[in-house]
Amino acid sequence: MLSQLSVSGKFSAMRKGIAVSPGVAIGKAFVIHEIFVNPDTKRLEDNEVTAELAKYETARDRADADLQALYRKVERQVGRDEASVFLVHRSILRDAAFTNKIRGWVVNDRMTASASLHRLLGEYTTLLTRTNDEYLKERLNDIRDVVVRLTAHMSEVIQPNQNVLDGPLIVVADELLPSQAVALGDVDVHGIITQSGSQTSHAAIIARSRGIPAVSGLRGILRLVKTGDTIVVDGQHGHVEINPNSEELAAFRKLEREFFDLKDQLAENRDLPANTVDGTELRLQANINSAADATAASAMGASGVGLYRTEYLYLTHPDVPDEEEQYKTYCEVIKECPNQHITIRTLDIGGDKTVPYLGHNHQEANPFMGWRSIRLSFEHPEFFNTQIRAVLRAASEFPDGTVRLMFPMVTTIEEMRRLRSFMKRAKKELGERGKVVRDMPIGMMLEVPAAAISIELMLDLVDFVSIGSNDLVQYLMAADRDNPKVSHLCQPLAPSVLRVLHSVIQACDKSGKPVTVCGEMAGQPKSFVLLLGMGLRRFSMSPAFIPSIKELAASITIDEAEQIVKSVMKLKTLSQIKKFMTRQIQQIAPQLAMLDTD
Ligand code: PEP
Ligand code: MG
């Protein structure tokens, strides 16, 4: 790490993190939730105190109104127990001691209300982390939620002040939450850097889906960067420069231009078929979260949508979306999606993605190994059924064969049977309402090693398989996909991972069940070539990767890809495989080297 004072007198530094989305971007830092790291130090003037108190009261009333509405809707649609978390939040918000402390610091210490909230959170954190009482420890999360809600109402955290920040922005965050990413949709974001996270965490996936250079796993970055600093993001090598000097800046500007030129050039491929040199036809589909992503997928030349992550609808919805809202959203997404061919995935909540009304009260030591995806859906049958009904209804508005439905995290045969009976029940319920819906292909996401090992036994129960390699890799390697400390292990090119993938692809081929890889590796040059050589013909990836993967496919024959797999299977370590594959990509498609992350 280099650090010095630049000519402008600003602190300058270079940091190394994990390269998660390729390309070079330069812009002004916009630090999200800066208050939690760099609290507001402004001291109020005497004549500002009353206005500051009024601002706090307004924020409190608005937060209270949110919570009341959330309670009512969640109680109606999910259940009273699940809704009770919002009552707890309301009681914290209205707690006299909580409010008096904030008022006291504003009036007596002339602190802003935001800084007072930060101080209060600090006090509670010190107090509650010392206790051995698990119940009290969990209340800390509730207090934090309330503070975040209040802060958001007071300072529109997500909206950068355009007077201060004109032009391209680099978002700096601990981890980018899905709701924040959506709110950033209208802002000119050129790069994303995060303190936690790694290749397959959600900030990385969001960045890639928009073709935005990103670096994650930058420990301590929030303490180093202030809103307004100049930031360079090198998403190919995982470097971040803070306030570079003018020579460095000029060099990076040249790289940034080359990156834009390459993207423009590749985008011209969008109408070409996805064929290898020997004419083998491939399906390059897109992973999407919304109708806007589906439009982007068409623009990038995707042949369909291989993964629609429906949880973003829940994560970004102010409360629980009901059947009608879901039905409408799914219809919109299907209408926008390329060639009207889409695979919808049911809710995958839990792990690193939580909504306050599902599983929020339930702190787990190992959330990724715990109550997530269909495990959670099974325990909320009404809620789960609502989603399946909405999908069935939406699919029936389009020609047969448009929609397939798949379930995340399937681990056992019993689960697959249960999922099939959920489908039957939803269809029957719709029939009772006079709505006739069609059957559709049902698939499993293969993300759990147990399912990979016993795939032959499960294939009878499914119409297709989609390999969720992001999760499969973390479970195979016992290395959390979001934890930068173990990102050296959570690697799709690890010899053991490649062996499992090969055997699953072969088992599906043998039984004639279509198989896709929809994890991030499908869109990365090195792993794409290996999957191709293993026999895979269907890939689903961030839309931004489709043009470069099309170009790569058009530069290689199946025979060459098979020979590469043979050579790689003889290599024993990840680093040997990475080096070998870097050389291969440089030979096959040197023009793409800039898009091949380290
Ligand atoms: C995966 O696990 O590979 C996957 C595509 O699902 P997600 O990244 O949403 O967990
Ligand atoms: Mg997954």
Side-chain angles (χ1 to χ4, degrees), residues 395-448:
S396 293
E397 301 290 341
F398 295 87
D400 203 5
T402 303
V403 180
R404 313 192 298 176
L405 185 63
M406 69 179 176
F407 299 98
M409 282 280 290
V410 176
T411 309
T412 66
I413 287 180
E414 289 88 334
E415 284 175 346
M416 208 51 235
R417 290 196 182 122
R418 202 162 163 201
L419 290 165
R420 287 215 164 257
S421 50
F422 263 91
M423 293 298 295
K424 267 196 205 137
R425 176 179 155 193
K427 214 176 143 195
K428 186 163 161 263
E429 283 169 1
L430 288 171
E432 283 162 6
R433 281 204 238 146
K435 290 195 195 306
V436 180
V437 291
R438 275 191 310 267
D439 279 326
M440 63 178 80
I442 301 300
M444 65 181 275
M445 282 193 77
L446 192 130
E447 309 187 273
V448 180

Side-chain angles (χ1 to χ4, degrees), residues 249-556:
L249 201 56
F252 280 115
R253 288 229 182 275
K254 188 164 171 281
L255 284 175
E256 189 186 32
R257 263 196 312 275
E258 282 172 18
F259 171 61
F260 283 137
D261 290 347
L262 180 61
K263 275 210 310 193
D264 287 349
Q265 229 174 300
L266 290 171
E268 287 171 14
N269 287 348
R270 70 179 149 243
D271 299 324
L272 298 178
N275 287 349
T276 57
V277 174
D278 49 292
T280 305
E281 215 174 292
L282 305 180
R283 281 203 201 178
L284 302 187
Q285 301 189 313
N287 295 347
I288 64 159
N289 303 318
S290 63
D293 287 356
T295 314
S298 298
M300 288 292 162
S303 67
V305 165
L307 167 64
Y308 168 29
R309 291 181 165 102
T310 56
E311 57 276 7
Y312 281 79
L313 167 61
Y314 297 76
L315 290 164
T316 57
H317 198 274
D319 45 43
V320 201
D322 60 25
E323 184 183 316
E324 207 52 34
E325 281 172 284
Q326 289 191 50
Y327 160 75
K328 283 195 186 127
T329 305
Y330 300 151
C331 284
E332 265 166 44
V333 172
I334 300 168
K335 221 182 296 152
E336 286 304 314
C337 95
N339 299 319
Q340 306 230 313
H341 200 284
I342 185 168
T343 304
I344 300 182
R345 170 175 84 180
T346 62
L347 190 61
D348 185 6
I349 287 291
D352 62 341
K353 292 172 276 184
T354 51
V355 287
Y357 46 87
L358 285 182
H360 181 86
N361 284 331
H362 183 90
Q363 291 281 319
E364 294 180 297
N366 287 309
F368 269 123
M369 308 261 268
W371 200 43
R372 64 172 286 207
S373 305
I374 51 165
R375 302 168 183 189
L376 196 143
S377 300
F378 283 147
E379 286 202 36
H380 294 283
E382 286 317 317
F383 183 77
F384 193 29
N385 245 319
T386 305
Q387 181 175 35
I388 297 176
R389 282 197 306 268
V391 172
L392 283 167
R393 281 178 55 198
S396 293
E397 301 290 341
F398 295 87
D400 203 5
T402 303
V403 180
R404 313 192 298 176
L405 185 63
M406 69 179 176
F407 299 98
M409 282 280 290
V410 176
T411 309
T412 66
I413 287 180
E414 289 88 334
E415 284 175 346
M416 208 51 235
R417 290 196 182 122
R418 202 162 163 201
L419 290 165
R420 287 215 164 257
S421 50
F422 263 91
M423 293 298 295
K424 267 196 205 137
R425 176 179 155 193
K427 214 176 143 195
K428 186 163 161 263
E429 283 169 1
L430 288 171
E432 283 162 6
R433 281 204 238 146
K435 290 195 195 306
V436 180
V437 291
R438 275 191 310 267
D439 279 326
M440 63 178 80
I442 301 300
M444 65 181 275
M445 282 193 77
L446 192 130
E447 309 187 273
V448 180
I453 290 166
S454 55
I455 186 68
E456 279 103 348
L457 306 177
M458 305 185 85
L459 285 173
D460 277 352
L461 287 163
V462 297
D463 301 311
F464 66 94
V465 173
S466 190
I467 303 177
S469 51
N470 302 339
D471 277 313
L472 183 62
V473 174
Q474 75 161 341
Y475 294 132
L476 275 171
M477 302 300 289
D480 183 341
R481 62 194 262 186
D482 282 341
N483 184 344
K485 287 207 167 137
V486 291
S487 65
H488 61 290
L489 288 168
C490 191
Q491 296 279 336
L493 296 182
S496 38
V497 172
L498 295 180
R499 277 161 176 71
V500 172
L501 289 168
H502 203 177
S503 74
V504 171
I505 293 169
Q506 283 174 333
C508 293
D509 279 351
K510 210 165 128 201
S511 69
K513 297 279 155 118
V515 54
T516 306
V517 168
C518 65
E520 290 302 306
M521 69 184 298
Q524 288 162 6
K526 297 186 193 81
S527 39
F528 165 78
V529 167
L530 290 172
L531 292 167
L532 186 68
M534 289 176 190
L536 195 76
R537 300 293 177 260
R538 295 164 185 246
F539 303 79
S540 192
M541 63 196 75
S542 300
F545 286 170
I546 289 176
S548 54
I549 293 295
K550 222 179 240 186
E551 174 94 357
L552 184 53
S555 317
I556 191 169

Side-chain angles (χ1 to χ4, degrees), residues 69-255:
L70 277 166
Y71 177 80
R72 281 196 299 271
K73 193 151 185 191
V74 173
E75 185 197 24
R76 202 171 54 244
Q77 292 181 14
V78 189
R80 185 165 292 175
D81 282 355
E82 285 75 10
S84 66
V85 62
F86 301 113
L87 291 183
V88 174
H89 289 192
R90 283 193 76 201
S91 64
I92 294 170
L93 194 67
R94 294 279 156 200
D95 181 70
F98 186 103
T99 307
N100 287 342
K101 283 208 166 196
I102 303 292
R103 282 195 191 126
W105 288 327
V106 172
V107 174
N108 303 323
D109 296 359
R110 296 292 192 260
M111 287 170 69
T112 63
S114 306
S116 306
L117 279 167
H118 180 262
R119 178 169 164 185
L120 189 67
L121 186 62
E123 283 194 359
Y124 278 117
T125 307
T126 314
L127 192 74
L128 296 178
T129 40
R130 268 199 231 120
T131 166
N132 289 327
D133 183 329
E134 285 306 314
Y135 176 81
L136 283 179
K137 273 191 181 158
E138 284 183 19
R139 295 290 69 81
L140 188 57
N141 284 332
D142 295 316
I143 294 170
R144 200 180 163 87
D145 272 15
V146 171
V147 168
V148 169
R149 191 177 290 281
L150 276 165
T151 310
H153 273 296
M154 276 188 309
S155 58
E156 300 310 333
V157 212
I158 208 75
Q159 285 302 327
N161 179 346
Q162 289 297 340
N163 296 332
V164 182
L165 293 169
D166 264 340
L169 296 185
I170 306 295
V171 169
V172 187
D174 178 29
E175 164 66 307
L176 199 59
L177 304 174
S179 54
Q180 293 169 332
V182 169
L184 284 169
D186 303 330
V187 182
D188 193 17
V189 178
H190 281 219
I192 297 177
I193 62 178
T194 64
Q195 193 156 256
S196 46
S198 62
Q199 282 271 352
T200 53
S201 59
H202 286 274
I205 290 173
I206 288 159
R208 277 198 291 262
S209 72
R210 300 205 185 152
I212 297 173
V215 176
S216 286
L218 289 155
R219 257 178 283 160
I221 196 77
L222 284 170
R223 294 192 187 283
L224 218 56
V225 176
K226 305 254 178 314
T227 290
D229 280 345
T230 299
I231 305 284
V232 173
V233 183
D234 172 354
Q236 185 191 5
H237 302 105
H239 290 149
V240 167
E241 295 269 353
I242 306 159
N243 296 322
N245 63 35
S246 51
E247 290 89 49
E248 286 167 334
L249 201 56
F252 280 115
R253 288 229 182 275
K254 188 164 171 281
L255 284 175

Side-chain angles (χ1 to χ4, degrees), residues 1-67:
M1 201 259 313
L2 305 167
S3 66
Q4 74 252 357
L5 274 182
S6 74
V7 221
S8 65
K10 276 188 167 178
F11 174 79
S12 81
M14 192 271 274
R15 287 270 153 161
K16 173 94 178 100
I18 302 165
V20 298
S21 181
V24 172
I26 302 168
K28 292 267 180 258
F30 170 56
V31 183
I32 291 185
H33 281 173
E34 195 168 25
I35 173 180
F36 293 116
V37 190
N38 303 311
D40 193 354
T41 48
K42 171 179 156 63
R43 285 193 49 86
L44 298 168
E45 298 298 329
D46 289 352
N47 60 0
E48 291 175 322
V49 170
T50 316
E52 191 68 12
L53 287 175
K55 185 168 135 189
Y56 179 69
E57 294 305 328
T58 309
R60 204 166 67 124
D61 290 344
R62 289 187 185 159
D64 195 41
D66 286 354
L67 291 168

